[in-house]
């Protein structure tokens, strides 16, 4: 793993030490370009799980009500009560997974409130404010949302305020074979005789905070209670433990140490979550989403790189307790968290604008996930709509995608590809911030390369070469997300300000030359012979 280094030229590579062995046979770089990128086609890292491009939708502000759910009787175009424009957007980016119902909301949520006829569901007080939670959107509607969007459900179980039995009953309601149990029959009465076959289950959320304020040892005990019996119905479940917030080693160490002390028991964990928000720039207060200077831009993106450090540290700790590597990392909340004030409607609690800055931090984060495809099984951008780092904004009949959506659209080409080593050699755009960052993946003879130029004001002229024993570049096209204004963002009135545009590339003698504008994310579709 490479950490940001304060050198004049920033080398960013996702390959192993063997990368350096080939430096003796460098490609024939031509003079002129300031940066060089080398795709290490013979150095596969691992398959990029499509789930690394997952999402998160919590009962919070305008995420579910106003964002996702408009109801079957609504004049707003919908499919079975789900906002149609949102479904179209999710289909376009091939959304692979959605985490629900929280977040902190999950730690107070009783899934039984959200099944059965809607008119008889109880109204409760939500977690985030005193607004009533009608439970109009429950498991039935969420599963419909997943089916219509093509995403796999990822359910977060309430480990703070419900007993373990409620968790296994929720699994039963979702997964028991048709007609086999009382809960399977209730599911059928709710419209689905067939099981939902939910595979991904979060066993708690932020159990060190809103999820119970447990110590790691207490959480380990609760985790054992919750997972010692979970009905499987012949399927493998992906049980995800509530990992740390940020680069917190102690939570992970002490949890696994507590597990180890319980002899004869190995935790049925397949995933360990990490949450990472960029929620201040070291000034002890949240920043503004829209009003920022070039220095704030740089510092935000520098902090985005910390995700790579977190992945490395957590992976190292897991390795000590799980030498067979059956546990993968799940970054199930990430993004920037700004102060209130830029939300598109006052009811959108934690709503905030997404600018080109957020597009770049998302792109750089997704590139990190790709470069660590061997360690990660899922990631969920926080959150899908009308909230932090949102892909979409909606209010009543208004709807607009954000620059973050366009990143997910560009990066769709990475889903399921084989992540490849990548070596970027470019002068730093600012101390600790690389001149270029990116990732590459391969499917058959096609390579997808994504590169971000994090400089707010300087384009980068770069050459791109392939390092391979048996293949060479044969053709390439590229597109770019950019805007002369680093604050560019979407509004209901003016629509989108950041959209993909073609980027011209020049391919000669196996060397691709391109000028990547300042503050831009580019995708290259490369064919090999
Ligand atoms: O995404 C908003 C909140 O941030 C989530 O509910 C919680 O898990 C995290 O602290």
């Amino acid at each position: 793993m490479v950490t940001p280094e304060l050198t004049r030229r920033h080398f960013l590579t996702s390959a192993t030490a063997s990368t350096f062995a080939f430096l003796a046979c460098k490609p024939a770089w031509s003079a002129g370009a300031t940066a060089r990128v080398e795709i290490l086609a013979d150095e596969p890292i691992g398959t990029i799980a499509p789930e690394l491009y997952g999402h998160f939708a919590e009962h919070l502000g305008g995420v579910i009500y106003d964002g996702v759910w408009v109801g079957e009787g609504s004049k707003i175009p919908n499919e079975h009560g789900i906002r149609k424009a949102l479904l179209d957007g999710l289909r376009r980016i091939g959304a692979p997974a959605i985490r629900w119902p929280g977040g902190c909301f999950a730690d107070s949520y009783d899934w039984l409130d959200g099944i059965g006829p809607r008119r008889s569901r109880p109204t409760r007080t939500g977690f985030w404010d005193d607004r009533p939670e009608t439970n109009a959107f429950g498991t039935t509607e969420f599963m419909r949302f997943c089916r219509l969007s093509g995403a796999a459900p990822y359910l977060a179980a309430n480990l703070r305020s419900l007993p373990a039995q409620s968790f296994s009953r929720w699994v039963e309601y979702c997964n028991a074979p048709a007609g086999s149990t009382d809960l399977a029959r209730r599911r059928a009465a709710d419209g689905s005789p067939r099981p939902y076959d939910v595979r991904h289950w979060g066993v708690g959320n932020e159990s060190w905070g809103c999820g119970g304020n447990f110590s790691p040892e207490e959480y380990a005990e609760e985790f054992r209670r919750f997972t010692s019996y979970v009905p499987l119905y012949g399927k493998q479940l992906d049980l995800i433990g509530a990992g740390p917030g940020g680069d917190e080693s102690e939570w992970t160490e002490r949890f696994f140490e507590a597990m180890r002390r319980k002899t004869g028991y190995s935790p049925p964990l397949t995933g360990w979550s990490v949450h990472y928000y960029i929620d201040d720039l070291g000034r002890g207060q949240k920043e503004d989403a829209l009003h920022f200077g070039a220095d704030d831009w740089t510092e935000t993106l520098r902090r985005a790189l910390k995700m790579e450090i977190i992945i490395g540290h957590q992976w190292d700790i897991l390795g000590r307790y799980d030498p067979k590597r059956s546990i993968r990392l799940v970054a199930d909340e990430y993004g920037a968290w700004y102060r209130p004030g830029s939300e598109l409607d006052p009811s959108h609690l934690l709503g905030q604008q997404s600018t080109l800055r957020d597009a770049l931090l998302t792109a750089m984060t997704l590139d990190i996930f790709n470069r660590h495809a061997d360690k990660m099984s899922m990631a969920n951008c926080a959150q899908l709509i009308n909230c932090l780092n949102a892909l979409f904004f909606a209010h009543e009949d208004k709807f607009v995608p954000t620059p973050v959506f366009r990143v997910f659209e560009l990066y769709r080409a990475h889903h399921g590809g084989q992540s490849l080593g990548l070596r970027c050699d470019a002068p730093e755009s600012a101390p600790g911030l690389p001149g270029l960052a990116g990732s590459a993946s391969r499917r058959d003879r096609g390579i997808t390369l994504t590169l971000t130029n994090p400089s707010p004001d300087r384009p980068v002229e770069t050459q791109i070469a392939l390092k391979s024993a048996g293949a060479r570049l044969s053709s390439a096209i590229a597109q770019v997300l950019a805007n002369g204004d680093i604050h560019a963002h979407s509004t209901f009135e003016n629509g989108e300000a950041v959209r993909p545009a073609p980027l011209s590339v020049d391919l000669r003698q196996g060397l691709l030359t391109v000028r990547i504008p300042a503050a831009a994310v580019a995708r290259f579709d490369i064919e090999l012979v």
Side-chain angles (χ1 to χ4, degrees), residues 202-404:
V203 187
N205 164 71
E206 296 195 350
S207 299
W208 37 265
C210 63
N213 284 304
F214 295 116
S215 69
E217 292 76 17
E218 289 164 343
Y219 175 56
E221 195 172 322
E222 292 301 318
F223 186 90
R224 279 200 301 271
R225 195 199 313 280
F226 268 62
T227 58
S228 289
Y229 166 72
V230 186
L232 296 178
Y233 310 107
K235 304 260 162 48
Q236 282 225 315
L237 296 186
D238 180 22
L239 296 179
I240 298 160
D247 191 19
E248 159 71 77
S249 303
E250 192 185 343
W251 174 262
T252 305
E253 294 267 9
R254 283 174 53 189
F255 171 84
F256 283 99
E257 201 51 54
M259 288 296 186
R260 180 148 74 185
R261 276 202 302 273
K262 176 79 187 162
T263 48
Y265 170 82
S266 58
L269 263 177
T270 42
W272 185 243
S273 80
V274 293
H275 290 182
Y276 176 51
Y277 288 104
I278 301 163
D279 57 1
D280 71 42
L281 301 182
R283 300 179 186 129
Q285 59 172 27
K286 290 192 171 24
E287 300 292 322
D288 196 278
L290 276 176
H291 304 104
F292 55 86
D295 286 357
D296 304 320
W297 161 286
T298 298
E299 184 56 22
T300 305
L301 298 186
R302 204 186 273 124
R303 281 168 190 256
L305 298 175
K306 190 172 168 194
M307 180 63 94
E308 188 152 38
I309 294 170
I310 296 170
I311 291 170
H313 284 169
Q314 294 296 314
W315 186 247
D316 286 350
I317 299 169
L318 290 186
R320 292 208 294 279
Y321 296 94
D322 173 40
K324 291 193 185 139
R325 294 296 192 186
S326 51
I327 306 171
R328 291 278 185 279
L329 290 168
V330 177
D332 55 14
E333 290 185 27
Y334 68 88
W337 189 327
Y338 303 115
R339 64 171 171 252
S342 65
E343 59 274 22
L344 270 65
D345 185 79
S347 64
H348 295 175
L349 192 70
L350 267 55
Q352 62 184 34
Q353 259 297 353
S354 285
T355 65
L356 187 58
R357 171 171 66 165
D358 302 293
L360 264 84
L361 86 81
T362 304
M364 289 167 77
T365 304
L366 293 172
D367 282 323
I368 291 170
F369 296 155
N370 289 345
R371 298 201 297 268
H372 295 276
D374 53 334
K375 308 175 183 67
M376 302 200 53
S377 59
M378 183 157 45
N380 309 81
C381 182
Q383 301 198 10
L384 181 62
I385 181 165
N386 292 343
C387 200
L388 314 171
N389 212 40
L391 282 81
F392 308 98
F393 296 135
H395 181 51
E396 298 170 347
D397 60 350
K398 298 189 276 287
F399 183 87
V400 70
T402 73
V404 175

Side-chain angles (χ1 to χ4, degrees), residues 9 17 33 58 83 112 131 172 182 198 215 231-232 258 348 360 371 389-390 425 431 434 438 510:
R9 291 187 79 79
E58 176 166 13
R83 188 183 284 274
L112 282 166
R131 269 180 280 177
E172 180 182 329
D182 190 55
V198 179
S215 69
L232 296 178
H348 295 175
L360 264 84
R371 298 201 297 268
N389 212 40
D425 174 8

